Amino acid sequence: MCKPTYYDIEYEINPWMNKTIKAEHLKSSIQWNQLYDAIKHCDVEVELVESQKELPDMVFTANAGLVKDGRVLLSDFRYPERQGEKHYFKQWFIKAGYQLVDKSLDSTDLCFEGEGDALFSNNFLFVGYGIRSDKAYYENVKSLGVEEIIYCELVDPYFYHLDTCFCPLNETHGIWWPKAFTPNSQQIMQKQLQLFALPENEAKKFACNAVVIKETVIIPAGCPVTESHLKTLGYKVISCEMSEFIKAGGACKCLTLYI
Ligand code: ARG
């Protein structure tokens, strides 16, 4: 995770962001701390990468890259506003002893926004493309040792990363906002998992942007239908207020990266 020290809405790279609607600094920091505590409460160790001035979105560490078994494929951000983050994430991974995976593909023009667009469910890797990450880029995830890739085409600019509209819970179940995907991708995804469609108002509160830690799911506050569905499946639910991060188009999951 990355503390929201320099977090704010300083540019607009998705439809949620409006430079005139700033994040309240104190509130952001309270909300981030609440999420941090909830994760620690699940007995998970959390490592921090230092926040950097002029990189306000660095708080969304999900976009740093994709990690598997001590190896990392670093992101290639679509927008120049976020490209400067790569250097700092890279330094962090090197220092922490992770092996940087070389891209198998000569893909200088292709983008990839890390775990924001790539989520594991068992041995399957669901990948989002069409808005931020490019489909062709995913050839590279094979170097990470990923065999089964499920391609999910995104169509709604409000749900621009896979983790904004889909969350695998375990090997069999997940939650999603189906309209964020093409009909063809919806079919493919449903073949892999039993998916519960969220009500639109909760999808728009980023209910899918959840952190799953064993039997606990941490979701943004204000999503009662999602909460009761998760409870029916046997999960313990912790909800965290995320209003300040939703202003940038992110919530619980975006603020974390599995390492
Ligand atoms: N403002 C950031 C962006 O548009 C938010 C990133 C949210 N991250 C995520 N994994 N969905 O890039």
Side-chain angles (χ1 to χ4, degrees), residues 2 7-9 11 14 17 56-64 77 82 85 89 113 160-161 209 242 244-257:
C2 173
Y7 169 66
D8 209 340
I9 316 300
Y11 46 77
N14 70 53
M17 301 176 91
D57 272 340
M58 200 169 154
V59 69
F60 298 112
T61 53
N63 300 119
F77 288 92
R82 294 200 67 184
E85 296 175 32
F89 287 132
E113 298 211 347
Y160 57 96
H161 278 139
N209 204 250
M242 284 283 123
E244 299 318 291
F245 298 103
I246 290 174
K247 290 175 180 171
C252 310
K253 174 65 200 76
C254 307
L255 293 168
T256 69
L257 173 70

PDB file of all heavy atoms in Angstrom, residues 2 7-9 11 14 17 56-64 77 82 85 89 113 160-161 209 242 244-257:
ATOM      1  N   CYS A   2       0.270   2.379  -0.230  1.00  0.00           N
ATOM      2  CA  CYS A   2       1.019   3.638  -0.292  1.00  0.00           C
ATOM      3  C   CYS A   2       0.168   4.704   0.410  1.00  0.00           C
ATOM      4  O   CYS A   2      -1.000   4.898   0.044  1.00  0.00           O
ATOM      5  CB  CYS A   2       1.235   4.004  -1.764  1.00  0.00           C
ATOM      6  SG  CYS A   2       1.959   5.611  -2.058  1.00  0.00           S
ATOM      7  N   TYR A   7      -1.960  12.465  -2.158  1.00  0.00           N
ATOM      8  CA  TYR A   7      -3.142  12.104  -2.955  1.00  0.00           C
ATOM      9  C   TYR A   7      -4.062  13.301  -3.163  1.00  0.00           C
ATOM     10  O   TYR A   7      -4.320  14.068  -2.226  1.00  0.00           O
ATOM     11  CB  TYR A   7      -3.899  10.974  -2.239  1.00  0.00           C
ATOM     12  CG  TYR A   7      -5.258  10.701  -2.820  1.00  0.00           C
ATOM     13  CD1 TYR A   7      -5.367  10.187  -4.103  1.00  0.00           C
ATOM     14  CD2 TYR A   7      -6.424  11.011  -2.113  1.00  0.00           C
ATOM     15  CE1 TYR A   7      -6.617   9.969  -4.673  1.00  0.00           C
ATOM     16  CE2 TYR A   7      -7.673  10.794  -2.671  1.00  0.00           C
ATOM     17  CZ  TYR A   7      -7.759  10.270  -3.945  1.00  0.00           C
ATOM     18  OH  TYR A   7      -8.991  10.064  -4.510  1.00  0.00           O
ATOM     19  N   ASP A   8      -4.529  13.475  -4.370  1.00  0.00           N
ATOM     20  CA  ASP A   8      -5.568  14.477  -4.664  1.00  0.00           C
ATOM     21  C   ASP A   8      -6.075  14.269  -6.094  1.00  0.00           C
ATOM     22  O   ASP A   8      -5.618  13.364  -6.776  1.00  0.00           O
ATOM     23  CB  ASP A   8      -5.031  15.910  -4.493  1.00  0.00           C
ATOM     24  CG  ASP A   8      -6.156  16.864  -4.090  1.00  0.00           C
ATOM     25  OD1 ASP A   8      -7.342  16.530  -4.311  1.00  0.00           O
ATOM     26  OD2 ASP A   8      -5.863  17.947  -3.557  1.00  0.00           O
ATOM     27  N   ILE A   9      -7.001  15.122  -6.498  1.00  0.00           N
ATOM     28  CA  ILE A   9      -7.513  15.026  -7.869  1.00  0.00           C
ATOM     29  C   ILE A   9      -6.854  16.172  -8.647  1.00  0.00           C
ATOM     30  O   ILE A   9      -7.319  17.304  -8.626  1.00  0.00           O
ATOM     31  CB  ILE A   9      -9.062  15.177  -7.910  1.00  0.00           C
ATOM     32  CG1 ILE A   9      -9.740  14.343  -6.791  1.00  0.00           C
ATOM     33  CG2 ILE A   9      -9.604  14.797  -9.292  1.00  0.00           C
ATOM     34  CD1 ILE A   9      -9.488  12.854  -6.835  1.00  0.00           C
ATOM     35  N   TYR A  11      -5.691  15.824 -12.039  1.00  0.00           N
ATOM     36  CA  TYR A  11      -5.905  15.694 -13.483  1.00  0.00           C
ATOM     37  C   TYR A  11      -7.117  14.796 -13.672  1.00  0.00           C
ATOM     38  O   TYR A  11      -7.668  14.269 -12.697  1.00  0.00           O
ATOM     39  CB  TYR A  11      -4.653  15.115 -14.167  1.00  0.00           C
ATOM     40  CG  TYR A  11      -4.045  13.911 -13.462  1.00  0.00           C
ATOM     41  CD1 TYR A  11      -4.626  12.648 -13.563  1.00  0.00           C
ATOM     42  CD2 TYR A  11      -2.896  14.049 -12.676  1.00  0.00           C
ATOM     43  CE1 TYR A  11      -4.081  11.549 -12.920  1.00  0.00           C
ATOM     44  CE2 TYR A  11      -2.332  12.947 -12.023  1.00  0.00           C
ATOM     45  CZ  TYR A  11      -2.925  11.703 -12.150  1.00  0.00           C
ATOM     46  OH  TYR A  11      -2.401  10.617 -11.501  1.00  0.00           O
ATOM     47  N   ASN A  14     -10.110   9.588 -15.968  1.00  0.00           N
ATOM     48  CA  ASN A  14     -11.279   8.706 -16.050  1.00  0.00           C
ATOM     49  C   ASN A  14     -12.497   9.560 -15.702  1.00  0.00           C
ATOM     50  O   ASN A  14     -12.338  10.656 -15.133  1.00  0.00           O
ATOM     51  CB  ASN A  14     -11.106   7.476 -15.138  1.00  0.00           C
ATOM     52  CG  ASN A  14     -11.166   7.818 -13.665  1.00  0.00           C
ATOM     53  OD1 ASN A  14     -12.111   8.450 -13.198  1.00  0.00           O
ATOM     54  ND2 ASN A  14     -10.145   7.418 -12.908  1.00  0.00           N
ATOM     55  N   MET A  17     -13.106  11.479 -12.270  1.00  0.00           N
ATOM     56  CA  MET A  17     -12.220  12.543 -11.800  1.00  0.00           C
ATOM     57  C   MET A  17     -12.665  13.903 -12.319  1.00  0.00           C
ATOM     58  O   MET A  17     -12.934  14.073 -13.505  1.00  0.00           O
ATOM     59  CB  MET A  17     -10.768  12.273 -12.239  1.00  0.00           C
ATOM     60  CG  MET A  17     -10.219  10.962 -11.736  1.00  0.00           C
ATOM     61  SD  MET A  17      -8.559  10.585 -12.356  1.00  0.00           S
ATOM     62  CE  MET A  17      -7.546  11.304 -11.070  1.00  0.00           C
ATOM     63  N   PRO A  56      -0.012  11.873  -7.510  1.00  0.00           N
ATOM     64  CA  PRO A  56      -1.131  11.734  -6.578  1.00  0.00           C
ATOM     65  C   PRO A  56      -1.846  10.385  -6.625  1.00  0.00           C
ATOM     66  O   PRO A  56      -2.427   9.960  -5.636  1.00  0.00           O
ATOM     67  CB  PRO A  56      -2.085  12.861  -6.990  1.00  0.00           C
ATOM     68  CG  PRO A  56      -1.726  13.173  -8.408  1.00  0.00           C
ATOM     69  CD  PRO A  56      -0.247  12.953  -8.491  1.00  0.00           C
ATOM     70  N   ASP A  57      -1.793   9.706  -7.781  1.00  0.00           N
ATOM     71  CA  ASP A  57      -2.490   8.422  -7.906  1.00  0.00           C
ATOM     72  C   ASP A  57      -1.631   7.235  -7.465  1.00  0.00           C
ATOM     73  O   ASP A  57      -2.073   6.088  -7.569  1.00  0.00           O
ATOM     74  CB  ASP A  57      -2.932   8.194  -9.366  1.00  0.00           C
ATOM     75  CG  ASP A  57      -4.315   8.785  -9.663  1.00  0.00           C
ATOM     76  OD1 ASP A  57      -5.085   9.028  -8.709  1.00  0.00           O
ATOM     77  OD2 ASP A  57      -4.625   8.991 -10.856  1.00  0.00           O
ATOM     78  N   MET A  58      -0.441   7.511  -6.970  1.00  0.00           N
ATOM     79  CA  MET A  58       0.437   6.403  -6.583  1.00  0.00           C
ATOM     80  C   MET A  58      -0.165   5.587  -5.435  1.00  0.00           C
ATOM     81  O   MET A  58       0.192   4.438  -5.202  1.00  0.00           O
ATOM     82  CB  MET A  58       1.804   6.944  -6.181  1.00  0.00           C
ATOM     83  CG  MET A  58       2.865   5.887  -6.233  1.00  0.00           C
ATOM     84  SD  MET A  58       4.486   6.582  -6.068  1.00  0.00           S
ATOM     85  CE  MET A  58       5.312   5.143  -5.388  1.00  0.00           C
ATOM     86  N   VAL A  59      -1.107   6.215  -4.744  1.00  0.00           N
ATOM     87  CA  VAL A  59      -1.831   5.545  -3.666  1.00  0.00           C
ATOM     88  C   VAL A  59      -2.538   4.266  -4.184  1.00  0.00           C
ATOM     89  O   VAL A  59      -2.741   3.314  -3.430  1.00  0.00           O
ATOM     90  CB  VAL A  59      -2.806   6.568  -3.025  1.00  0.00           C
ATOM     91  CG1 VAL A  59      -3.937   6.922  -3.965  1.00  0.00           C
ATOM     92  CG2 VAL A  59      -3.336   6.113  -1.716  1.00  0.00           C
ATOM     93  N   PHE A  60      -2.852   4.255  -5.482  1.00  0.00           N
ATOM     94  CA  PHE A  60      -3.534   3.085  -6.069  1.00  0.00           C
ATOM     95  C   PHE A  60      -2.499   2.044  -6.516  1.00  0.00           C
ATOM     96  O   PHE A  60      -2.234   1.858  -7.707  1.00  0.00           O
ATOM     97  CB  PHE A  60      -4.430   3.522  -7.237  1.00  0.00           C
ATOM     98  CG  PHE A  60      -5.520   4.466  -6.814  1.00  0.00           C
ATOM     99  CD1 PHE A  60      -5.523   5.802  -7.212  1.00  0.00           C
ATOM    100  CD2 PHE A  60      -6.552   4.032  -5.980  1.00  0.00           C
ATOM    101  CE1 PHE A  60      -6.529   6.680  -6.805  1.00  0.00           C
ATOM    102  CE2 PHE A  60      -7.563   4.900  -5.564  1.00  0.00           C
ATOM    103  CZ  PHE A  60      -7.543   6.217  -5.975  1.00  0.00           C
ATOM    104  N   THR A  61      -1.959   1.354  -5.537  1.00  0.00           N
ATOM    105  CA  THR A  61      -0.847   0.430  -5.801  1.00  0.00           C
ATOM    106  C   THR A  61      -1.251  -0.804  -6.619  1.00  0.00           C
ATOM    107  O   THR A  61      -0.383  -1.489  -7.150  1.00  0.00           O
ATOM    108  CB  THR A  61      -0.210  -0.040  -4.483  1.00  0.00           C
ATOM    109  OG1 THR A  61      -1.247  -0.559  -3.646  1.00  0.00           O
ATOM    110  CG2 THR A  61       0.500   1.095  -3.778  1.00  0.00           C
ATOM    111  N   ALA A  62      -2.545  -1.083  -6.708  1.00  0.00           N
ATOM    112  CA  ALA A  62      -2.985  -2.220  -7.540  1.00  0.00           C
ATOM    113  C   ALA A  62      -2.421  -2.089  -8.951  1.00  0.00           C
ATOM    114  O   ALA A  62      -2.210  -3.081  -9.638  1.00  0.00           O
ATOM    115  CB  ALA A  62      -4.507  -2.282  -7.607  1.00  0.00           C
ATOM    116  N   ASN A  63      -2.174  -0.848  -9.372  1.00  0.00           N
ATOM    117  CA  ASN A  63      -1.712  -0.617 -10.735  1.00  0.00           C
ATOM    118  C   ASN A  63      -0.189  -0.679 -10.901  1.00  0.00           C
ATOM    119  O   ASN A  63       0.333  -0.390 -11.979  1.00  0.00           O
ATOM    120  CB  ASN A  63      -2.232   0.739 -11.236  1.00  0.00           C
ATOM    121  CG  ASN A  63      -3.744   0.800 -11.246  1.00  0.00           C
ATOM    122  OD1 ASN A  63      -4.346   1.628 -10.574  1.00  0.00           O
ATOM    123  ND2 ASN A  63      -4.383  -0.107 -11.958  1.00  0.00           N
ATOM    124  N   ALA A  64       0.511  -1.082  -9.825  1.00  0.00           N
ATOM    125  CA  ALA A  64       1.984  -1.128  -9.911  1.00  0.00           C
ATOM    126  C   ALA A  64       2.469  -2.253 -10.821  1.00  0.00           C
ATOM    127  O   ALA A  64       3.490  -2.115 -11.501  1.00  0.00           O
ATOM    128  CB  ALA A  64       2.575  -1.299  -8.519  1.00  0.00           C
ATOM    129  N   PHE A  77       1.932   2.177 -17.759  1.00  0.00           N
ATOM    130  CA  PHE A  77       0.721   2.996 -17.622  1.00  0.00           C
ATOM    131  C   PHE A  77       0.315   3.662 -18.935  1.00  0.00           C
ATOM    132  O   PHE A  77       1.170   4.103 -19.707  1.00  0.00           O
ATOM    133  CB  PHE A  77       0.948   4.088 -16.575  1.00  0.00           C
ATOM    134  CG  PHE A  77       0.989   3.568 -15.168  1.00  0.00           C
ATOM    135  CD1 PHE A  77       2.188   3.196 -14.580  1.00  0.00           C
ATOM    136  CD2 PHE A  77      -0.178   3.462 -14.426  1.00  0.00           C
ATOM    137  CE1 PHE A  77       2.224   2.727 -13.270  1.00  0.00           C
ATOM    138  CE2 PHE A  77      -0.153   2.999 -13.118  1.00  0.00           C
ATOM    139  CZ  PHE A  77       1.050   2.627 -12.542  1.00  0.00           C
ATOM    140  N   ARG A  82       0.535   9.150 -14.992  1.00  0.00           N
ATOM    141  CA  ARG A  82       0.886   8.089 -14.031  1.00  0.00           C
ATOM    142  C   ARG A  82       2.198   7.377 -14.375  1.00  0.00           C
ATOM    143  O   ARG A  82       2.662   6.541 -13.574  1.00  0.00           O
ATOM    144  CB  ARG A  82      -0.264   7.060 -13.915  1.00  0.00           C
ATOM    145  CG  ARG A  82      -1.538   7.641 -13.309  1.00  0.00           C
ATOM    146  CD  ARG A  82      -2.450   6.547 -12.766  1.00  0.00           C
ATOM    147  NE  ARG A  82      -1.886   5.838 -11.612  1.00  0.00           N
ATOM    148  CZ  ARG A  82      -2.456   4.803 -11.009  1.00  0.00           C
ATOM    149  NH1 ARG A  82      -3.618   4.363 -11.437  1.00  0.00           N
ATOM    150  NH2 ARG A  82      -1.883   4.207  -9.972  1.00  0.00           N
ATOM    151  N   GLU A  85       5.199   6.836 -11.938  1.00  0.00           N
ATOM    152  CA  GLU A  85       5.109   5.928 -10.778  1.00  0.00           C
ATOM    153  C   GLU A  85       5.979   4.689 -10.973  1.00  0.00           C
ATOM    154  O   GLU A  85       6.472   4.097 -10.016  1.00  0.00           O
ATOM    155  CB  GLU A  85       3.652   5.474 -10.557  1.00  0.00           C
ATOM    156  CG  GLU A  85       2.712   6.603 -10.186  1.00  0.00           C
ATOM    157  CD  GLU A  85       1.254   6.127 -10.103  1.00  0.00           C
ATOM    158  OE1 GLU A  85       1.011   4.967  -9.730  1.00  0.00           O
ATOM    159  OE2 GLU A  85       0.359   6.932 -10.413  1.00  0.00           O
ATOM    160  N   PHE A  89       7.915   2.218  -8.101  1.00  0.00           N
ATOM    161  CA  PHE A  89       7.473   0.844  -7.838  1.00  0.00           C
ATOM    162  C   PHE A  89       8.605  -0.125  -8.166  1.00  0.00           C
ATOM    163  O   PHE A  89       8.866  -1.070  -7.413  1.00  0.00           O
ATOM    164  CB  PHE A  89       6.219   0.505  -8.667  1.00  0.00           C
ATOM    165  CG  PHE A  89       4.953   1.182  -8.184  1.00  0.00           C
ATOM    166  CD1 PHE A  89       4.106   1.850  -9.058  1.00  0.00           C
ATOM    167  CD2 PHE A  89       4.596   1.134  -6.830  1.00  0.00           C
ATOM    168  CE1 PHE A  89       2.939   2.464  -8.607  1.00  0.00           C
ATOM    169  CE2 PHE A  89       3.423   1.743  -6.371  1.00  0.00           C
ATOM    170  CZ  PHE A  89       2.604   2.407  -7.264  1.00  0.00           C
ATOM    171  N   GLU A 113      -1.989  -2.219 -16.889  1.00  0.00           N
ATOM    172  CA  GLU A 113      -2.115  -1.512 -15.613  1.00  0.00           C
ATOM    173  C   GLU A 113      -2.214  -2.462 -14.419  1.00  0.00           C
ATOM    174  O   GLU A 113      -2.965  -2.242 -13.466  1.00  0.00           O
ATOM    175  CB  GLU A 113      -3.227  -0.464 -15.697  1.00  0.00           C
ATOM    176  CG  GLU A 113      -2.889   0.589 -16.767  1.00  0.00           C
ATOM    177  CD  GLU A 113      -3.415   1.989 -16.529  1.00  0.00           C
ATOM    178  OE1 GLU A 113      -4.270   2.195 -15.657  1.00  0.00           O
ATOM    179  OE2 GLU A 113      -2.947   2.919 -17.247  1.00  0.00           O
ATOM    180  N   TYR A 160     -13.409   1.209 -15.868  1.00  0.00           N
ATOM    181  CA  TYR A 160     -12.286   1.202 -16.813  1.00  0.00           C
ATOM    182  C   TYR A 160     -11.190   0.193 -16.466  1.00  0.00           C
ATOM    183  O   TYR A 160     -10.286  -0.038 -17.272  1.00  0.00           O
ATOM    184  CB  TYR A 160     -11.696   2.621 -16.899  1.00  0.00           C
ATOM    185  CG  TYR A 160     -11.272   3.128 -15.546  1.00  0.00           C
ATOM    186  CD1 TYR A 160      -9.954   3.002 -15.133  1.00  0.00           C
ATOM    187  CD2 TYR A 160     -12.199   3.670 -14.663  1.00  0.00           C
ATOM    188  CE1 TYR A 160      -9.578   3.410 -13.879  1.00  0.00           C
ATOM    189  CE2 TYR A 160     -11.821   4.077 -13.409  1.00  0.00           C
ATOM    190  CZ  TYR A 160     -10.520   3.948 -13.022  1.00  0.00           C
ATOM    191  OH  TYR A 160     -10.130   4.332 -11.762  1.00  0.00           O
ATOM    192  N   HIS A 161     -11.212  -0.331 -15.251  1.00  0.00           N
ATOM    193  CA  HIS A 161     -10.281  -1.402 -14.864  1.00  0.00           C
ATOM    194  C   HIS A 161     -11.125  -2.620 -14.477  1.00  0.00           C
ATOM    195  O   HIS A 161     -12.211  -2.469 -13.914  1.00  0.00           O
ATOM    196  CB  HIS A 161      -9.460  -1.016 -13.618  1.00  0.00           C
ATOM    197  CG  HIS A 161      -8.278  -0.151 -13.885  1.00  0.00           C
ATOM    198  ND1 HIS A 161      -7.942   0.913 -13.060  1.00  0.00           N
ATOM    199  CD2 HIS A 161      -7.313  -0.197 -14.846  1.00  0.00           C
ATOM    200  CE1 HIS A 161      -6.836   1.480 -13.509  1.00  0.00           C
ATOM    201  NE2 HIS A 161      -6.434   0.831 -14.599  1.00  0.00           N
ATOM    202  N   ASN A 209     -14.960  -3.527  -5.968  1.00  0.00           N
ATOM    203  CA  ASN A 209     -13.565  -3.187  -5.681  1.00  0.00           C
ATOM    204  C   ASN A 209     -13.228  -3.613  -4.251  1.00  0.00           C
ATOM    205  O   ASN A 209     -13.005  -2.805  -3.352  1.00  0.00           O
ATOM    206  CB  ASN A 209     -13.366  -1.682  -5.886  1.00  0.00           C
ATOM    207  CG  ASN A 209     -11.934  -1.347  -6.185  1.00  0.00           C
ATOM    208  OD1 ASN A 209     -11.239  -0.755  -5.379  1.00  0.00           O
ATOM    209  ND2 ASN A 209     -11.452  -1.780  -7.338  1.00  0.00           N
ATOM    210  N   MET A 242     -15.144   5.058   1.555  1.00  0.00           N
ATOM    211  CA  MET A 242     -14.142   5.273   0.502  1.00  0.00           C
ATOM    212  C   MET A 242     -14.422   6.528  -0.318  1.00  0.00           C
ATOM    213  O   MET A 242     -13.880   6.699  -1.409  1.00  0.00           O
ATOM    214  CB  MET A 242     -14.114   4.055  -0.439  1.00  0.00           C
ATOM    215  CG  MET A 242     -13.415   2.846   0.122  1.00  0.00           C
ATOM    216  SD  MET A 242     -11.611   3.073   0.036  1.00  0.00           S
ATOM    217  CE  MET A 242     -11.122   2.865   1.721  1.00  0.00           C
ATOM    218  N   GLU A 244     -13.523   9.550  -0.538  1.00  0.00           N
ATOM    219  CA  GLU A 244     -12.452  10.405  -1.092  1.00  0.00           C
ATOM    220  C   GLU A 244     -11.717   9.736  -2.241  1.00  0.00           C
ATOM    221  O   GLU A 244     -11.216  10.409  -3.146  1.00  0.00           O
ATOM    222  CB  GLU A 244     -11.471  10.821   0.013  1.00  0.00           C
ATOM    223  CG  GLU A 244     -12.134  11.621   1.118  1.00  0.00           C
ATOM    224  CD  GLU A 244     -13.125  12.645   0.587  1.00  0.00           C
ATOM    225  OE1 GLU A 244     -12.713  13.622  -0.041  1.00  0.00           O
ATOM    226  OE2 GLU A 244     -14.364  12.461   0.804  1.00  0.00           O
ATOM    227  N   PHE A 245     -11.649   8.398  -2.212  1.00  0.00           N
ATOM    228  CA  PHE A 245     -10.926   7.685  -3.271  1.00  0.00           C
ATOM    229  C   PHE A 245     -11.806   7.441  -4.490  1.00  0.00           C
ATOM    230  O   PHE A 245     -11.317   7.364  -5.612  1.00  0.00           O
ATOM    231  CB  PHE A 245     -10.325   6.390  -2.710  1.00  0.00           C
ATOM    232  CG  PHE A 245      -9.323   6.690  -1.627  1.00  0.00           C
ATOM    233  CD1 PHE A 245      -9.646   6.531  -0.279  1.00  0.00           C
ATOM    234  CD2 PHE A 245      -8.086   7.217  -1.952  1.00  0.00           C
ATOM    235  CE1 PHE A 245      -8.739   6.860   0.714  1.00  0.00           C
ATOM    236  CE2 PHE A 245      -7.159   7.553  -0.970  1.00  0.00           C
ATOM    237  CZ  PHE A 245      -7.489   7.371   0.364  1.00  0.00           C
ATOM    238  N   ILE A 246     -13.126   7.377  -4.237  1.00  0.00           N
ATOM    239  CA  ILE A 246     -14.066   7.224  -5.357  1.00  0.00           C
ATOM    240  C   ILE A 246     -13.990   8.471  -6.263  1.00  0.00           C
ATOM    241  O   ILE A 246     -14.163   8.387  -7.472  1.00  0.00           O
ATOM    242  CB  ILE A 246     -15.492   6.926  -4.826  1.00  0.00           C
ATOM    243  CG1 ILE A 246     -15.502   5.499  -4.215  1.00  0.00           C
ATOM    244  CG2 ILE A 246     -16.543   7.033  -5.940  1.00  0.00           C
ATOM    245  CD1 ILE A 246     -16.776   5.079  -3.514  1.00  0.00           C
ATOM    246  N   LYS A 247     -13.627   9.605  -5.672  1.00  0.00           N
ATOM    247  CA  LYS A 247     -13.453  10.829  -6.477  1.00  0.00           C
ATOM    248  C   LYS A 247     -12.373  10.671  -7.547  1.00  0.00           C
ATOM    249  O   LYS A 247     -12.343  11.399  -8.529  1.00  0.00           O
ATOM    250  CB  LYS A 247     -13.070  12.009  -5.566  1.00  0.00           C
ATOM    251  CG  LYS A 247     -14.191  12.485  -4.665  1.00  0.00           C
ATOM    252  CD  LYS A 247     -13.687  13.566  -3.715  1.00  0.00           C
ATOM    253  CE  LYS A 247     -14.799  14.052  -2.803  1.00  0.00           C
ATOM    254  NZ  LYS A 247     -14.266  14.947  -1.740  1.00  0.00           N
ATOM    255  N   ALA A 248     -11.453   9.721  -7.332  1.00  0.00           N
ATOM    256  CA  ALA A 248     -10.396   9.477  -8.330  1.00  0.00           C
ATOM    257  C   ALA A 248     -10.709   8.231  -9.152  1.00  0.00           C
ATOM    258  O   ALA A 248      -9.942   7.845 -10.034  1.00  0.00           O
ATOM    259  CB  ALA A 248      -9.049   9.299  -7.642  1.00  0.00           C
ATOM    260  N   GLY A 249     -11.854   7.581  -8.832  1.00  0.00           N
ATOM    261  CA  GLY A 249     -12.208   6.359  -9.559  1.00  0.00           C
ATOM    262  C   GLY A 249     -11.605   5.112  -8.948  1.00  0.00           C
ATOM    263  O   GLY A 249     -11.299   4.149  -9.650  1.00  0.00           O
ATOM    264  N   GLY A 250     -11.438   5.114  -7.633  1.00  0.00           N
ATOM    265  CA  GLY A 250     -10.866   3.927  -6.989  1.00  0.00           C
ATOM    266  C   GLY A 250     -11.486   3.662  -5.630  1.00  0.00           C
ATOM    267  O   GLY A 250     -12.223   4.487  -5.101  1.00  0.00           O
ATOM    268  N   ALA A 251     -11.231   2.482  -5.065  1.00  0.00           N
ATOM    269  CA  ALA A 251     -11.705   2.157  -3.719  1.00  0.00           C
ATOM    270  C   ALA A 251     -10.782   1.108  -3.093  1.00  0.00           C
ATOM    271  O   ALA A 251      -9.577   1.098  -3.399  1.00  0.00           O
ATOM    272  CB  ALA A 251     -13.165   1.719  -3.743  1.00  0.00           C
ATOM    273  N   CYS A 252     -11.345   0.229  -2.259  1.00  0.00           N
ATOM    274  CA  CYS A 252     -10.525  -0.675  -1.433  1.00  0.00           C
ATOM    275  C   CYS A 252      -9.465  -1.442  -2.230  1.00  0.00           C
ATOM    276  O   CYS A 252      -8.275  -1.413  -1.914  1.00  0.00           O
ATOM    277  CB  CYS A 252     -11.401  -1.680  -0.704  1.00  0.00           C
ATOM    278  SG  CYS A 252     -12.790  -0.962   0.175  1.00  0.00           S
ATOM    279  N   LYS A 253      -9.912  -2.167  -3.245  1.00  0.00           N
ATOM    280  CA  LYS A 253      -8.968  -3.041  -3.965  1.00  0.00           C
ATOM    281  C   LYS A 253      -7.862  -2.243  -4.650  1.00  0.00           C
ATOM    282  O   LYS A 253      -6.689  -2.637  -4.625  1.00  0.00           O
ATOM    283  CB  LYS A 253      -9.735  -3.890  -4.993  1.00  0.00           C
ATOM    284  CG  LYS A 253      -8.857  -4.728  -5.899  1.00  0.00           C
ATOM    285  CD  LYS A 253      -8.115  -5.800  -5.102  1.00  0.00           C
ATOM    286  CE  LYS A 253      -6.899  -6.334  -5.845  1.00  0.00           C
ATOM    287  NZ  LYS A 253      -5.765  -5.393  -5.825  1.00  0.00           N
ATOM    288  N   CYS A 254      -8.248  -1.126  -5.266  1.00  0.00           N
ATOM    289  CA  CYS A 254      -7.250  -0.316  -5.983  1.00  0.00           C
ATOM    290  C   CYS A 254      -6.140   0.171  -5.068  1.00  0.00           C
ATOM    291  O   CYS A 254      -5.040   0.466  -5.539  1.00  0.00           O
ATOM    292  CB  CYS A 254      -7.898   0.940  -6.564  1.00  0.00           C
ATOM    293  SG  CYS A 254      -9.324   0.685  -7.560  1.00  0.00           S
ATOM    294  N   LEU A 255      -6.442   0.290  -3.779  1.00  0.00           N
ATOM    295  CA  LEU A 255      -5.450   0.814  -2.843  1.00  0.00           C
ATOM    296  C   LEU A 255      -4.487  -0.258  -2.365  1.00  0.00           C
ATOM    297  O   LEU A 255      -3.639   0.003  -1.500  1.00  0.00           O
ATOM    298  CB  LEU A 255      -6.167   1.445  -1.633  1.00  0.00           C
ATOM    299  CG  LEU A 255      -6.984   2.710  -1.946  1.00  0.00           C
ATOM    300  CD1 LEU A 255      -7.878   3.096  -0.766  1.00  0.00           C
ATOM    301  CD2 LEU A 255      -6.072   3.882  -2.297  1.00  0.00           C
ATOM    302  N   THR A 256      -4.613  -1.468  -2.890  1.00  0.00           N
ATOM    303  CA  THR A 256      -3.757  -2.571  -2.441  1.00  0.00           C
ATOM    304  C   THR A 256      -3.219  -3.365  -3.622  1.00  0.00           C
ATOM    305  O   THR A 256      -3.836  -3.413  -4.685  1.00  0.00           O
ATOM    306  CB  THR A 256      -4.555  -3.564  -1.565  1.00  0.00           C
ATOM    307  OG1 THR A 256      -5.503  -4.261  -2.401  1.00  0.00           O
ATOM    308  CG2 THR A 256      -5.298  -2.888  -0.444  1.00  0.00           C
ATOM    309  N   LEU A 257      -2.079  -3.984  -3.409  1.00  0.00           N
ATOM    310  CA  LEU A 257      -1.526  -4.901  -4.406  1.00  0.00           C
ATOM    311  C   LEU A 257      -1.099  -6.160  -3.669  1.00  0.00           C
ATOM    312  O   LEU A 257      -0.415  -6.083  -2.638  1.00  0.00           O
ATOM    313  CB  LEU A 257      -0.302  -4.272  -5.083  1.00  0.00           C
ATOM    314  CG  LEU A 257       0.471  -5.188  -6.042  1.00  0.00           C
ATOM    315  CD1 LEU A 257      -0.340  -5.475  -7.306  1.00  0.00           C
ATOM    316  CD2 LEU A 257       1.815  -4.565  -6.420  1.00  0.00           C
TER     317      LEU A 257
END
